[in-house]
Amino acid sequence: MIRLILCLLMVLMGTGWGLAQTTKPTTSPATQPLRAGKVAIIPMEEGIDDYTFHKLKKRIELAKVDGVDTLVIKLNTPGGAVGPTLEITRLLKKEAENFHIVVYIDEMAYSAGTMISVACKEIVMSEGSMIGDCAPILPTQGGLAEITGANRAKIESPLVAEFEDSAERNGYDPLLLRSFVQYQLTVYVLEKDGDRRFAAREVKDQLLTEGWKLDTDIKNPIDDELTLLTVNDRTAAQLGLSKGSYKSVEAFVESRGWTIVKVYEHTPDETFIAFMSGNAVRSIFSLMLVVCLLVVSKSPGTGFAEAGLLIAGSVLFGVPMMTGYGGWLEILLMLLGVALLAAEIFIIPGFGVAGVSGIVLIMTGLVLTFVPSEAPALPAGPYIVPQLPQTREGLKEGLIIVTSGMVAGLFLWLWLSRYITKVPYFNRLVLTTTVGSTPEFGTDALRDAVESTWPHVGLTGVAATDLRPGGMGRFMDTIINDERNVDVISDHGFVAAGKKVVVKRKQGTEIIVREATG
């Protein structure tokens, strides 16, 4: 489904909120009733974005049709965008009514992966895998940068609330989960008579006077004010986060006595869409879009440029729609831009305000398809104003790619214009050929004189091709005593090939004609 609107920007997971506090946790997630164990495996081995959410949602719907009762998400991710992550966690919690959902962490579940993991009913891990480190980070041209201060505060509340909701639903300790995302929070593990508690620094000393002792079987504190909790599979099991370590997801399923009935691997079309949504491919098609726009504006009706324009537009707008990065806003901008361009090319001869406005709208729509949605629970702000630095960074990336494609396309067109008349078929885009024999010009001066004045206003000829409204017109040149073809544009719409036309006016290099009467 196409999203209603795209909020502007990529945020990579994390937060840091609240004061340290103490809770009395359970030592492990609440035990869930086991089902028959008809298992579907859902690989999620990628950065988390809108497309990840859409693929997961589609696979869950397939699982309902296939009649499975247990979903095992095979997770291996460095993190991802906040908006899609929140959508994934809420989807998993909603579908907990229909499935027993387990996450198998294969290698790593950092940042967004941690939030997804604790949203599931159970966590199991591969040997040597890691979970944690949910600091908010920002993708930049040079790598990753941490988000701090007021910008960090803007994304704290919805994330902390989501972690605490997962703790309540799945029996994790709230303070333990908050230590994944909060700086300036020190967490200790204490024990007494077989019971265990997680306590912040402010409460730890008081508990010690009441007979509690620091748990010597685990590193204490498990997290301090300078770090975010990040643990391996063994420590996760000790803390009650994980139900155990297994060599493979198949080994885990076998240990439960379950049966794998489906594995929803990536399909060829998903792989192709992922490739087509890459920045390199989109840069190439941005270049193609610009070149084709220039060709259509100079020689409309040739067919080749219009086809290229359709292909480039389909890729640049169609792929983001399929991956969740494009929505109605981008579609409306594109359609309005195309309408203005069409009016400029086919109705209003020349190239002015309508044409420039159309290009600006199309390029704006393109830029917006480069950014995923922000967290839906962020504090309300102006409708189209970016709320986070990640949004500005995402817009910057889109602007760089789209603008680079435009500039490269312009230079490519200028370069090709020098040689295009010598290339078969493409020379039809710059029409200089003659019909019949073409005698040599006597002098360069005569050639220049003919080219500068011919065809003159009022000259009658015929439409050599259909004018839609652009095409070729054929006129007699009395100086060379032969007919020649030239680019023309009809100012009254379609003119069929073979109809008489008359030159009404000339605007720069454009020759405006009208069907002759009588």
Side-chain angles (χ1 to χ4, degrees), residues 36-40 68 253-254 257-262:
K38 296 173 64 177
V39 176
V68 302
V253 172
E254 183 179 355
W258 296 342
T259 303
I260 298 175
V261 296
K262 286 286 182 178

Side-chain angles (χ1 to χ4, degrees), residues 275-313:
F275 170 76
M276 295 299 290
S277 63
N279 287 346
V281 174
R282 296 170 81 179
S283 296
I284 293 172
F285 278 96
S286 295
L287 183 151
M288 178 178 173
L289 181 73
V290 172
V291 171
C292 291
L293 278 173
L294 289 170
V295 173
V296 170
S297 67
K298 294 294 183 181
S299 303
T302 59
F304 173 81
E306 286 81 357
L309 198 60
L310 179 61
I311 293 171

Side-chain angles (χ1 to χ4, degrees), residues 257-489:
W258 296 342
T259 303
I260 298 175
V261 296
K262 286 286 182 178
V263 179
Y264 298 115
E265 298 286 0
H266 294 294
T267 60
D269 61 307
E270 289 172 344
T271 303
F272 177 74
I273 290 173
F275 170 76
M276 295 299 290
S277 63
N279 287 346
V281 174
R282 296 170 81 179
S283 296
I284 293 172
F285 278 96
S286 295
L287 183 151
M288 178 178 173
L289 181 73
V290 172
V291 171
C292 291
L293 278 173
L294 289 170
V295 173
V296 170
S297 67
K298 294 294 183 181
S299 303
T302 59
F304 173 81
E306 286 81 357
L309 198 60
L310 179 61
I311 293 171
S314 297
V315 171
L316 292 172
F317 287 95
V319 171
M321 287 168 58
M322 289 186 283
T323 59
Y325 281 73
W328 287 110
L329 176 61
E330 291 78 11
I331 294 174
L332 290 174
L333 289 173
M334 178 194 69
L335 292 178
L336 182 56
V338 169
L340 288 174
L341 270 178
E344 185 73 44
I345 294 172
F346 299 115
I347 300 175
I348 313 170
F351 199 79
V353 175
V356 172
S357 300
I359 292 176
V360 170
L361 288 174
I362 291 174
M363 296 309 166
T364 301
L366 278 178
V367 170
L368 293 181
T369 63
F370 281 80
V371 293
S373 48
E374 287 183 335
L378 283 172
Y383 183 66
I384 60 173
V385 176
Q387 299 185 54
L388 299 172
Q390 297 91 334
T391 305
R392 295 187 289 272
E393 189 68 24
L395 290 175
K396 175 182 172 183
E397 179 184 7
L399 282 170
I400 289 174
I401 292 174
V402 174
T403 304
S404 298
M406 291 177 61
V407 173
L410 179 60
F411 277 103
L412 179 61
W413 169 252
L414 293 175
W415 180 79
L416 286 175
S417 297
R418 302 174 57 187
Y419 305 101
I420 201 167
T421 58
K422 301 176 182 178
V423 181
Y425 181 80
F426 290 96
N427 56 13
R428 302 178 194 176
L429 301 180
V430 181
L431 304 173
T432 59
T433 57
T434 62
V435 177
S437 60
T438 305
E440 295 292 330
F441 289 87
T443 65
D444 290 340
L446 177 59
R447 179 193 300 271
D448 293 340
V450 171
E451 293 295 336
S452 63
T453 61
W454 182 88
H456 57 80
V457 174
L459 184 62
T460 301
V462 297
T465 65
D466 289 340
L467 307 186
R468 301 176 178 272
M472 290 189 291
R474 184 181 306 145
F475 300 89
M476 174 62 70
D477 190 326
T478 57
I479 295 178
I480 63 174
N481 195 31
D482 204 349
E483 290 182 324
R484 298 175 60 198
N485 287 355
V486 67
D487 276 327
V488 297
I489 299 176

Side-chain angles (χ1 to χ4, degrees), residues 47-203:
I48 307 302
D49 58 18
D50 285 305
Y51 196 32
T52 309
F53 167 71
H54 285 281
K55 289 190 292 185
L56 176 63
K57 188 175 182 179
K58 181 175 72 173
R59 281 157 172 72
I60 289 178
E61 293 303 316
L62 289 174
K64 293 177 180 178
V65 175
D66 292 333
V68 302
D69 52 57
T70 302
L71 300 179
V72 177
I73 298 174
K74 186 180 179 183
L75 183 64
N76 182 10
T77 181
V82 168
T85 301
L86 288 173
E87 290 184 295
I88 288 173
T89 58
R90 292 164 188 177
L91 174 65
L92 292 173
K93 291 172 183 178
K94 176 183 177 182
E95 294 298 337
E97 301 175 358
N98 303 313
F99 302 97
H100 182 69
I101 304 177
V102 183
V103 62
Y104 175 84
I105 299 175
D106 184 16
E107 189 175 341
M108 60 181 169
Y110 292 128
S111 195
T114 303
M115 180 177 282
I116 292 171
S117 297
V118 299
C120 298
K121 291 299 182 181
E122 294 185 80
I123 299 174
V124 293
M125 304 175 69
S126 65
E127 297 176 354
S129 59
M130 303 290 292
I131 184 173
D133 190 6
C134 296
I137 52 178
L138 171 65
T140 65
Q141 296 296 322
L144 297 173
E146 183 184 340
I147 303 170
T148 58
N151 287 323
R152 178 171 179 149
K154 288 185 178 181
I155 61 173
E156 290 175 350
S157 296
L159 302 181
V160 171
E162 194 68 23
F163 269 101
E164 291 182 338
D165 181 69
S166 295
E168 180 180 352
R169 286 173 180 266
N170 300 324
Y172 298 109
D173 179 77
L175 184 61
L176 178 65
L177 294 198
R178 285 173 52 197
S179 66
F180 281 123
V181 298
Q182 290 183 278
Y183 280 127
Q184 301 180 339
L185 176 62
T186 302
V187 180
Y188 295 85
V189 185
L190 297 96
E191 60 176 351
K192 178 182 178 182
D193 300 328
D195 197 5
R196 170 184 284 177
R197 293 185 69 169
F198 297 95
R201 184 188 298 275
E202 293 80 358
V203 183

